[in-house]
Amino acid sequence: MKIPHVWRRLRRSLRSTTPARAGAAVVILLGALVTAGTAAGPAQAATQGPCDLYAAGGTPCVAAHSTTRALYGSYNGPLYQVRRASDGSTADIGLLAAGGYANAAAQDSFCSGTSCVITVIYDQSGKGNNLTQAPGGGAAPNPDNLANATSAPVTVGGHAAYGVFIPQGTGYRDDHTNGIATGDQPEGMYAVLDGSHYNGGCCFDYGNAETTNHDDGNGTMEAIYFGNIKVWGYGSGNGPWVMADQENGLFSGVNAGYNANDPSVNDRFLTAIVKGGPNQWAIRSGNAQSGGLATDYSGPRPNVNGYNPMHKEGAIILGIGGDNSNGAAGTFYEGVMTSGYPSDATENAVQANITAAGYTTSTSAGATGELHAVGAGKCLDVPNASTTAGTQVQIYDCWGGTNQTWTHTSSDQLTVYSGSSQLCLDASGKGTTNGTKVVVWTCNGQSNQQWHLNGDGSITGVQSGLCLDVTGAATANGTLAQLWTCSGQSNQKWSLG
């Protein structure tokens, strides 16, 4: 345990965060110390995970899901299962070491040359609350899609991993759970999400839902919601917001409606928390890379019939609403559900554990240079320095021109100066299917112009989850770029700078 290193890191984190998100310094120090050592060695793990901290606080995990890391210091089982398209075979993806990080290389090897979907997200708590393909429900009668296994590459603790990328129509569920709160029983939950991937659809949730897959009335759910829908509750700014889905309402505060204290949050990695007990519930949120948690709401239940007492049913959902409303989008990395109402101090320690885990992307905002197509040995190029919106980009011999010089911005745009015009890399027509053209367009801040530059060299579109791809793996000048299912092949590897 490298305590001096952790102490220096903690002091920098506390100096760089606002008081509202600083949390309790003593508790954060405790959480940081028990997670020290994440950078020591190729597979070194935290000595404790979030669920060890919840247990120490008297509110043990009853479900623990992650595709990126162990959530207990001693866990050494599978994190998730993938199924490949070529032959329908499945494989469990485990850890590099007990209590450590996902063995992404095992997935890469198993899925090489084909595509894979995530079929199971295993419960690490030992209670068997595994998440699998969501069946049809009242809002959408057919089973939901499964997530592409490579659409959310990420780096955690210096190790490659994959999150769960959920576009519209995709969702996971467990209707037959063990130990999840029912009725008015107290519980807590957190999720680490991609704060830049969201929409205004209903409903990107993680948490407690109906076992019937239908809307069973007020108070039959208690789940984390993330997005910018304003049909029910909403917070300050334009969103997105962390809110609570308590059925027939997304609540940002005591009632459906506006809560000025629930801020818009768009941290690249976001910690979202909801907890609830008899006539008491809270929302908390924070940056999953640094700093503490803010309390966005803490108070009584909605003063509408059905919410006090609650009527929770104890299913678990991910990416959908309780009645299988599947019009939302988001990305999930890890999350848990607890028995009992966790204290703020326990959650502060968990937040310190999350920030110490080291979620990151490989290329920082502000990086500028040629965008090299690794497999072709050429550069991403705006043909003839065109200033026409909709021009499809290509690969071409690198020569250092402005039409080959790209900047990765803090809002995940890739900008280029072509002629005298600044343009953005854009998924044409907001396409989300294989073969969608990748073009330049006037910058507008929409999600089809946001790109994640990942630790494995891939570049994924935030809206689609597909990879920036050199068509046909060709190497000739003038070969066009497109979106395609991430495959790990060299024609989807890029280097900026």
Side-chain angles (χ1 to χ4, degrees), residues 72-331:
Y72 293 83
S74 61
Y75 185 76
N76 199 26
L79 297 179
Y80 61 103
Q81 182 189 85
V82 295
R83 184 179 70 222
R84 61 189 179 198
S86 58
D87 61 3
S89 297
T90 61
D92 286 345
I93 306 302
L95 297 158
L96 295 170
Y101 301 95
N103 186 355
Q107 175 182 309
D108 293 339
S109 176
F110 181 76
C111 299
S112 178
T114 186
S115 61
C116 279
V117 292
I118 297 172
T119 48
V120 183
I121 306 171
Y122 290 108
D123 173 21
Q124 300 178 30
S125 77
K127 292 186 174 295
N129 294 320
N130 302 327
L131 293 173
T132 57
Q133 183 177 24
N142 296 319
D144 294 333
N145 299 322
L146 294 168
N148 184 285
T150 57
S151 288
V154 68
T155 300
V156 189
H159 304 283
Y162 295 99
V164 186
F165 185 94
I166 295 180
Q168 293 176 320
T170 298
Y172 293 81
R173 193 173 195 125
D174 184 356
D175 287 328
H176 305 284
T177 60
N178 175 22
I180 304 300
T182 58
D184 207 32
Q185 292 176 336
E187 66 179 345
M189 61 198 77
Y190 85 81
V192 175
L193 309 172
D194 179 345
S196 67
H197 184 207
Y198 62 91
N199 70 3
C202 182
C203 292
F204 184 77
D205 291 347
Y206 172 71
N208 194 322
E210 297 95 335
T211 56
T212 64
N213 301 349
H214 287 76
D215 179 346
D216 289 342
N218 294 358
T220 54
M221 288 184 63
E222 185 163 63
I224 296 165
Y225 164 82
F226 180 65
N228 67 342
I229 193 171
K230 295 181 71 174
V231 173
W232 298 282
Y234 59 99
S236 62
N238 295 318
W241 307 283
V242 177
M243 297 192 284
D245 191 340
Q246 298 180 36
E247 192 53 276
N248 296 326
L250 299 175
F251 293 88
S252 62
V254 64
N255 291 316
Y258 175 60
N259 174 15
N261 292 321
D262 191 16
S264 295
V265 286
N266 57 6
D267 300 309
R268 174 59 180 86
F269 297 98
L270 170 70
T271 304
I273 290 176
V274 167
K275 55 184 174 181
N279 201 25
Q280 171 68 34
W281 69 283
I283 304 170
R284 306 187 78 200
S285 62
N287 187 332
Q289 292 180 293
S290 64
L293 296 167
T295 298
D296 306 327
Y297 174 79
S298 180
R301 293 288 187 182
N303 56 10
V304 180
N305 287 340
Y307 299 104
N308 183 29
M310 293 285 281
H311 308 280
K312 294 176 284 192
E313 297 186 15
I316 307 174
I317 52 173
L318 172 60
I320 54 175
D323 61 354
N324 198 39
S325 298
N326 60 7
T331 298

Side-chain angles (χ1 to χ4, degrees), residues 4-96:
H5 168 75
V6 174
W7 176 243
R8 291 194 300 271
R9 178 176 180 176
L10 176 65
R11 288 189 299 175
R12 289 195 300 269
S13 175
L14 290 176
R15 285 197 301 265
S16 64
T17 190
T18 61
R21 291 188 179 264
V26 173
V27 176
I28 291 178
L29 173 59
L30 171 63
L33 293 180
V34 298
T35 56
T38 54
Q44 180 68 30
T47 56
Q48 291 192 16
C51 286
D52 300 305
L53 298 171
Y54 277 116
T59 53
C61 293
V62 288
H65 304 108
S66 177
T67 57
T68 62
R69 66 172 183 140
L71 301 179
Y72 293 83
S74 61
Y75 185 76
N76 199 26
L79 297 179
Y80 61 103
Q81 182 189 85
V82 295
R83 184 179 70 222
R84 61 189 179 198
S86 58
D87 61 3
S89 297
T90 61
D92 286 345
I93 306 302
L95 297 158
L96 295 170

Side-chain angles (χ1 to χ4, degrees), residues 381-389 391 393 399 401-406 415-424 440-441:
D381 175 282
V382 182
N384 302 312
S386 173
T387 60
T388 302
T391 300
V393 294
W399 64 281
T402 59
N403 65 319
Q404 292 186 347
T405 303
W406 300 84
T415 62
V416 65
Y417 276 95
S418 192
S420 59
S421 300
Q422 186 185 48
L423 300 170
C424 274
V440 287
W441 197 269

